[in-house]
Amino acid sequence: MTDVTRVLDAAVDIIVNDGYDAVTMKSISEKSGYPVSEIETVYDSSGDVLVSMLNREFQRIYSSIVDNIERDPRGGLLSRVYLYILTALYERPLARTLFIIDRSALNAIMRNNSSFRYVPQIGVRGELIEALQEAGMVRRDIDAFRLSAVISSFTAGLALTAPHDDLDAIVRGLSDLLARGVDEHVDNTEPGKQVFYQWATSLTQPRAEADADSEVD
């Protein structure tokens, strides 16, 4: 019986070390040790393997961020959400490759119909900031979408100048800037945590379900 984890781990190894174009059923077969015919009993193509790989990675990113936010008494604040999103992306080799180094590979995988609908938009979006404002976690005088653009610029600059010897200090410094400039001074950040959980859960909604929900709305 084919071990799906082994197949997906093989795809991760190939895309991180050799690039998106190197991922084929043959290369996955060689890396995983399974014959192509056996892999094809689970996946129709290398594209399907990559979609499954991406979905698994996103779930792991989400779990990592949620775990950190849940443990942090200040976890519902925007500065902390930003810190944990960046940490999750930079600490995971596949996430760093797809979300920061090679977005074209991510977009190619996303074109598959069974992929997650909103994965390329992971980050601090204007909609998330607005929701955090409604929850009392972000100052009301802040323009959510302008702030989102500024945060995106920070993150893009960090990616363009990577690798960094002092990455942890840089990421925490950016988080501190947000804490001083936009976080509200509140004792209870649980409402912000709930906003993040709802937003992040929406990112994992399959394309067909999301389309159906939009029709209902």
Side-chain angles (χ1 to χ4, degrees):
M1 183 176 178
T2 304
D3 183 347
V4 170
T5 297
R6 202 161 105 194
V7 172
L8 299 184
D9 287 346
V12 170
D13 187 87
I14 296 166
I15 203 167
V16 168
N17 293 297
D18 303 314
Y20 171 79
D21 291 335
V23 182
T24 63
M25 290 298 267
K26 180 180 178 181
S27 64
I28 294 170
S29 170
E30 293 172 349
K31 184 68 68 172
S32 67
Y34 289 119
V36 170
S37 59
E38 193 167 335
I39 297 173
E40 287 177 338
T41 62
V42 182
Y43 299 105
D44 292 334
S45 66
S46 60
D48 287 341
V49 175
L50 289 175
V51 167
S52 184
M53 175 202 73
L54 178 61
N55 291 351
R56 184 185 71 169
E57 183 69 4
F58 186 73
Q59 293 284 6
R60 289 177 174 179
I61 291 170
Y62 169 69
S63 295
S64 172
I65 298 170
V66 167
D67 287 346
N68 282 320
I69 288 176
E70 184 62 35
R71 286 196 296 265
D72 185 350
R74 312 297 289 165
L77 296 172
L78 177 62
S79 62
R80 310 304 287 177
V81 170
Y82 180 67
L83 171 65
Y84 295 131
I85 287 176
L86 271 192
T87 300
L89 293 182
Y90 274 101
E91 286 184 346
R92 302 186 61 81
L94 179 59
R96 187 169 62 249
T97 297
L98 293 178
F99 287 92
I100 298 169
I101 298 172
D102 190 0
R103 289 295 295 266
S104 63
L106 175 64
N107 291 333
I109 298 171
M110 285 298 301
R111 283 196 289 270
N112 188 297
N113 286 333
S114 58
S115 62
F116 284 130
R117 188 177 188 182
Y118 296 116
V119 172
Q121 298 182 3
I122 189 170
V124 181
R125 309 292 295 178
E127 294 85 356
L128 174 59
I129 297 173
E130 280 189 328
L132 288 171
Q133 281 181 314
E134 291 296 323
M137 300 295 108
V138 174
R139 284 171 37 195
R140 286 285 186 171
D141 60 329
I142 297 295
D143 185 307
F145 289 89
R146 287 185 180 179
L147 176 57
S148 175
V150 170
I151 291 174
S152 296
S153 297
F154 286 167
T155 307
L158 195 57
L160 288 172
T161 55
H164 302 277
D165 293 333
D166 300 312
L167 178 61
D168 184 63
I170 296 170
V171 170
R172 289 187 177 278
L174 293 174
S175 175
D176 286 344
L177 285 174
L178 290 175
R180 295 175 187 178
V182 305
D183 285 349
E184 278 285 15
H185 300 291
V186 294
D187 294 325
N188 178 21
T189 72
E190 188 62 31
K193 292 182 180 184
Q194 294 303 318
V195 165
F196 177 78
Y197 301 154
Q198 293 170 12
W199 173 79
T201 300
S202 74
L203 300 182
T204 65
Q205 190 175 30
R207 183 185 301 266
E209 290 181 18
D211 289 342
D213 286 349
S214 64
E215 289 176 6
V216 171
D217 295 340

